[in-house]
Amino acid sequence: MSQFDVTSIRAQFPILGQKVRGKDLVFLDSAASAQKPRAAIDAMVGAMETQYANIHRGLHWMSERTTEAYEAARDAAARLLNAGDRHEIVFVRNSTEGINLVAHSYGRSVLKPGQAVVISAMEHHSNIVPWQMLRDAHGTELRVAPITDAGELDMAAYEALFADGKVGLVAITHMSNVLGSYTPAERIVKIAHAHGAKVLLDGSQAVVHRKVDVRALDADFYVFTGHKLYGPTGIGVLYGKAALLEAMPPWMGGGDMISSVTYEKSTWARVPHKFEAGTPAILEGIGLEAAIRWVEAIGYDAIAAHEAELTEHALARMSAVDGLTIIGRAQDRGGVVSFTLDRAHAHDIATLLDRAGIAVRAGHHCAEPLMRRLGLESTARASFGIYTTAEEIDVLADTLTKVREFFK
Amino acid sequence: MFEDVRDLYNATILERGRRPRHMRRLEAFDVTAKGDNPMCGDRVQVWVKFADDRSIAATGFDARGCEISKAAADLMVEAVAGKTAEDTKAMFAAFRTLAQTGACDDCAEALAPMQPLAAVHEYPSRVKCATLPWHALIAALDGQGASTSE
């Protein structure tokens, strides 16, 4: 690949040296969770070995150092998203928790019964179910913006959803975990704002592949998860505009999120701490900080160029496999490729690929309504990361031809 | 290539998965239930007609899923023919052991039709594919409309 040396990138991922069933690991499941570079691993291990204590409370050296290391992750996340203020970064467990936080806190305090929340027809379950729960508990309406057959958001239909003035919030993916389609986030936000609605973007996939600038997008909320961005599990980020976060009530009570507590009344800590009850994922925060710095050092220009080249290569090679159908043909797309084979069910494909050392995902990808929209039960999905090579895609395409022969 | 998957994808499984003999909805049935594996999206429905003595006279199924789940359903139909509900439940318990471990101590002769699936225990993520139709069958016998292999 032209932009950077993928061999040296791969050398930084210890797991990529592993054999699976005696074969070189071909890991094409990064959209589910990415592998971890040495930098993130060492940061976590190093913290445990040299400076670790609980944070935000200890009046001792270890606690102070650990607090600094953990809070550096907030700076890193703010930098990554180009947030205006580090206090706009709330740490959560994952994107799912970030969305639930907004649904529970903003949804119940600012949205009024009868107002509508707009999602799209290509959401992950994590950006569907919280809004259904809000609907059922709070009396909001749930509207679904349709997609085209190519797997792009139908912008005319999207805009039409605002006609009655009831939409209070839009919650839409920035990149589909099934189709690889990017959504036109800037236009989504512009249209919503023109109708007085706020916007949450689910960046779980997008933030891995391209530079996200929440201020340029004018996003009101943006969520992503650490483990897809080459960081650890258990840590995710909710970005929210300061004024919105300030006005929102906390959603979980406990230590760390209070200003003072009496039996009669408690008062809340300032943003973002009022949303961070209890001891947080300290080590995971430290690992995320290292992962973000590692991604920044490579740079999104290089990452995006590498993945664009890979995706183009994959679409060409996979399209040439007899009987293979690529699901989703969006113009603006990234390195997530869902497909079906005429002779084999997705699970059988995945099992056979696994025997060849190739890891893909198969199933409904936590997007059942999207599957129904596509008229499918399941697909197989190959997804690419910073360490994926064109040769691995060749191995996938060649092996898929053999899978099809196996089921003749 | 793929010679090492022939333990699971053997001739019987491939034949039954691709050309199931009993994949049909029964026009006249006494009980029916659906089975759903929410993790992978596999779905199956089973219809059962009882004989006068309450043994299973006929079973039909419809399945949307992989070769393993369809083959398991097709073989199951033959395995439970003529059995009582009690026998069928005992067979399911034995089949679960077979699917999870590759063997079962007191695998009755009656379970012989399911033996082609014994290797599924080498594929932990696929065990639920093999047991899904049984979950649906037991749910039907118990008068429940739905089941899950989760």
Side-chain angles (χ1 to χ4, degrees):
Chain A
M1 292 288 145
S2 54
Q3 297 293 318
F4 62 92
D5 180 2
V6 74
T7 309
S8 79
I9 297 271
R10 289 179 68 84
Q12 297 175 56
F13 287 80
I15 205 168
L16 296 179
Q18 294 291 307
K19 298 270 183 192
V20 170
R21 305 181 193 285
K23 302 182 176 73
D24 289 335
L25 168 64
V26 175
F27 188 76
L28 299 176
D29 196 19
S30 292
S33 197
Q35 299 298 348
K36 318 304 173 199
R38 173 61 69 195
I41 298 167
D42 284 353
M44 294 175 75
V45 173
M48 282 186 278
E49 287 179 346
T50 61
Q51 49 174 50
Y52 177 77
N54 210 332
I55 59 170
H56 296 150
R57 61 192 78 186
L59 297 174
H60 53 77
W61 189 91
M62 275 294 177
S63 176
E64 287 165 353
R65 296 294 83 70
T66 312
T67 303
E68 281 168 16
Y70 178 76
E71 285 298 324
R74 207 180 300 279
D75 295 318
R79 209 167 58 228
L80 184 84
L81 298 178
N82 195 31
D85 188 324
R86 66 189 305 280
H87 295 109
E88 294 176 317
I89 300 296
V90 179
F91 284 126
V92 286
R93 277 187 303 150
N94 44 39
S95 297
T96 300
E97 187 172 282
I99 295 168
N100 274 277
L101 192 162
V102 174
H104 198 93
S105 173
Y106 185 85
R108 291 173 190 229
S109 65
V110 179
L111 295 181
K112 302 285 172 262
Q115 278 197 295
V117 175
V118 169
I119 62 173
S120 85
M122 51 180 171
E123 299 305 321
H124 190 282
H125 293 163
S126 60
N127 198 30
I128 302 173
V129 180
W131 308 113
Q132 286 177 328
M133 292 167 72
L134 179 69
R135 176 194 64 196
D136 297 343
H138 190 60
T140 47
E141 188 192 329
L142 182 58
R143 294 183 182 176
V144 183
I147 56 169
T148 65
D149 290 338
E152 295 171 327
L153 193 62
D154 181 337
M155 291 305 287
Y158 166 73
E159 187 154 17
L161 294 175
F162 295 87
D164 63 3
K166 285 187 177 173
V167 176
L169 182 71
V170 172
I172 280 185
T173 185
H174 195 182
M175 176 186 179
S176 164
N177 68 308
V178 177
L179 306 173
S181 324
Y182 288 102
T183 55
E186 215 162 322
R187 282 178 60 208
I188 288 170
V189 173
K190 208 162 273 174
I191 290 168
H193 285 177
H195 292 87
K198 304 296 185 200
V199 178
L200 177 150
L201 292 169
D202 175 0
S204 304
Q205 299 294 337
V207 78
V208 183
H209 304 287
R210 55 168 63 164
K211 174 68 188 160
V212 172
D213 182 332
V214 290
R215 280 190 287 175
L217 293 172
D218 201 17
D220 300 292
F221 299 103
Y222 197 96
V223 297
F224 75 88
T225 192
H227 71 95
K228 294 189 204 289
L229 189 64
Y230 312 104
T233 51
I235 183 97
V237 165
L238 162 66
Y239 159 83
K241 284 181 180 168
L244 296 174
L245 293 178
E246 297 287 356
M248 286 160 56
W251 80 311
M252 280 198 278
D256 252 8
M257 55 74 70
I258 44 80
S259 170
S260 77
V261 175
T262 66
Y263 287 119
E264 289 70 37
K265 183 178 170 56
S266 296
T267 55
W268 313 136
R270 299 193 54 194
V271 167
H273 300 292
K274 78 174 172 188
F275 297 113
E276 296 179 350
T279 295
I282 298 169
L283 293 163
E284 290 77 3
I286 291 169
L288 176 64
E289 193 273 338
I292 290 174
R293 260 192 299 125
W294 184 84
V295 165
E296 287 173 329
I298 292 164
Y300 275 104
D301 288 347
I303 291 171
H306 171 65
E307 291 184 5
E309 226 171 297
L310 279 179
T311 304
E312 198 180 323
H313 183 66
L315 293 175
R317 283 298 318 264
M318 292 168 72
S319 298
V321 174
D322 279 344
L324 188 148
T325 305
I326 287 171
I327 309 300
R329 288 288 191 175
Q331 286 293 314
D332 187 17
R333 65 169 303 153
V336 174
V337 182
S338 276
F339 61 95
T340 57
L341 267 184
D342 55 354
R343 292 183 189 161
H345 187 276
H347 299 150
D348 299 314
I349 297 170
T351 292
L352 265 65
L353 290 178
D354 174 55
R355 293 284 150 156
I358 305 169
V360 299
R361 173 115 187 239
H364 54 48
H365 314 290
C366 299
E368 275 191 75
L370 172 59
M371 288 289 137
R372 219 160 289 135
R373 162 67 180 84
L374 299 168
L376 298 167
E377 297 292 325
S378 60
T379 70
R381 180 190 72 183
S383 55
F384 315 136
I386 205 163
Y387 36 66
T388 306
T389 67
E391 292 71 28
E392 289 181 304
I393 288 162
D394 293 338
V395 171
L396 171 69
D398 293 343
T399 311
L400 283 170
T401 299
K402 291 172 185 152
V403 168
R404 186 164 183 269
E405 283 164 14
F406 183 90
F407 287 107
K408 71 173 177 283
Chain B
M1 202 171 195
F2 303 130
E3 283 317 303
D4 60 336
V5 301
R6 295 277 178 196
D7 56 347
L8 178 60
Y9 290 90
N10 52 57
T12 306
I13 298 303
L14 287 176
E15 192 217 319
R16 296 303 189 104
R18 306 184 66 72
R19 282 175 288 278
R21 298 174 190 175
H22 311 288
M23 192 156 113
R24 62 172 189 278
R25 181 197 176 103
L26 293 188
E27 290 308 320
F29 62 89
D30 293 305
V31 290
T32 183
K34 290 179 179 170
D36 193 4
N37 182 340
M39 292 310 287
C40 69
D42 275 0
R43 291 194 165 94
V44 64
Q45 182 162 7
V46 172
W47 293 270
V48 178
K49 175 78 184 157
F50 294 119
D52 291 341
D53 64 357
R54 297 297 288 174
S55 66
I56 294 176
T59 310
F61 73 93
D62 186 23
R64 282 180 297 174
C66 60
E67 305 282 317
I68 306 304
S69 62
K70 280 190 281 188
D74 208 48
L75 295 171
M76 176 186 80
V77 170
E78 292 170 18
V80 301
K83 306 292 183 201
T84 63
E86 203 173 303
D87 290 340
T88 304
K89 286 178 190 175
M91 287 169 70
F92 178 36
F95 176 60
R96 267 178 125 165
T97 307
L98 180 71
Q100 284 164 1
T101 67
C104 58
D105 292 340
D106 49 354
C107 265
E109 210 175 291
L111 210 58
M114 302 308 295
Q115 282 294 336
L117 282 158
V120 76
H121 78 280
E122 299 276 4
Y123 303 74
S125 59
R126 306 303 299 278
V127 169
K128 285 170 183 166
C129 307
T131 56
L132 178 62
W134 284 87
H135 283 281
L137 175 63
I138 301 301
L141 297 178
D142 284 345
Q144 295 162 352
S147 66
T148 166
S149 63
E150 274 312 292

